[in-house]
Amino acid sequence: MSEIHPFYESHRGAMEAAMRQRLDLAETMLREQPQLPNIDGIRQEVMDEFEIVLIQMPYVGGAASRMSDFFMRLMGFMAIGRVLRRHGVPLPVIGDIERGTYKAQLLTVPEAERLASGRQFMSPENQTLLREQAAKSHRQEYPEDFVYDFVEPAPGDNFEFGIDYKACGFCKFAAGHGDQEILPHICGLDFEAYAARGIRLERTQTLAGGASHCNFRFSRLEPE
């Protein structure tokens, strides 16, 4: 495949704008790295790499699949990770830069809007949708998609619901494109994404770490 899928092409402008915002937010951290003397050059290299990532992104159902949004929001960090790794930035530092940048970007959204999004995610209506999409994911209509189960809490559990990811689109992408070293940084972004919306994510294992599944468990954060 040598062209961007039409679904991603239709969202390309927004994704590129998000990437430029991330690079703005990351600039101070990038300037602290001795391996990166030319920040303007790094910015251009990241945007060029993002063009490659857009071409590589697999189609997993478009607007009908909640996982398309995950790809569109997070796959740009693969481009950042590739470029920083290419320039010799240590992997732990790459992870810190990506997580710090994503947190800063999330916090540019007004708190009321973020918390409303979190309430919607935790709502009974969304849980019903998640159950339906989890069942549908097992049909594996798209080979590069995620496969997951909805998890109901048992008596004594301290979470409202969970998701067990049995197959991960990011893991498949990383394996296909040589990004295994930077894959765990994508996993780390999940905690920032949910916390910004007032949701506590607990997870003790990941597919990227060699486990049989990723065990996401969700509950509401107590207001401060």
Side-chain angles (χ1 to χ4, degrees), residues 165-177:
Y165 287 94
K166 305 298 184 65
C168 168
F170 291 109
C171 292
K172 296 173 185 178
F173 182 93
H177 298 287

Side-chain angles (χ1 to χ4, degrees), residues 7-8 14 25 43 63 78 89 113 115 160 167 171 173 175 187 191 212 223:
F7 176 76
Y8 299 127
L25 293 168
R43 290 175 66 99
M78 286 288 192
V89 178
E113 185 177 334
L115 295 181
E160 294 187 41
C171 292
F173 182 93
C187 304
F191 292 95
S212 60

Side-chain angles (χ1 to χ4, degrees), residues 72-91:
M72 290 190 293
R73 282 190 290 111
L74 299 181
M75 200 65 87
F77 287 100
M78 286 288 192
I80 295 172
R82 287 177 182 178
V83 171
L84 297 186
R85 181 179 60 170
R86 194 179 298 150
H87 284 268
V89 178
L91 287 170

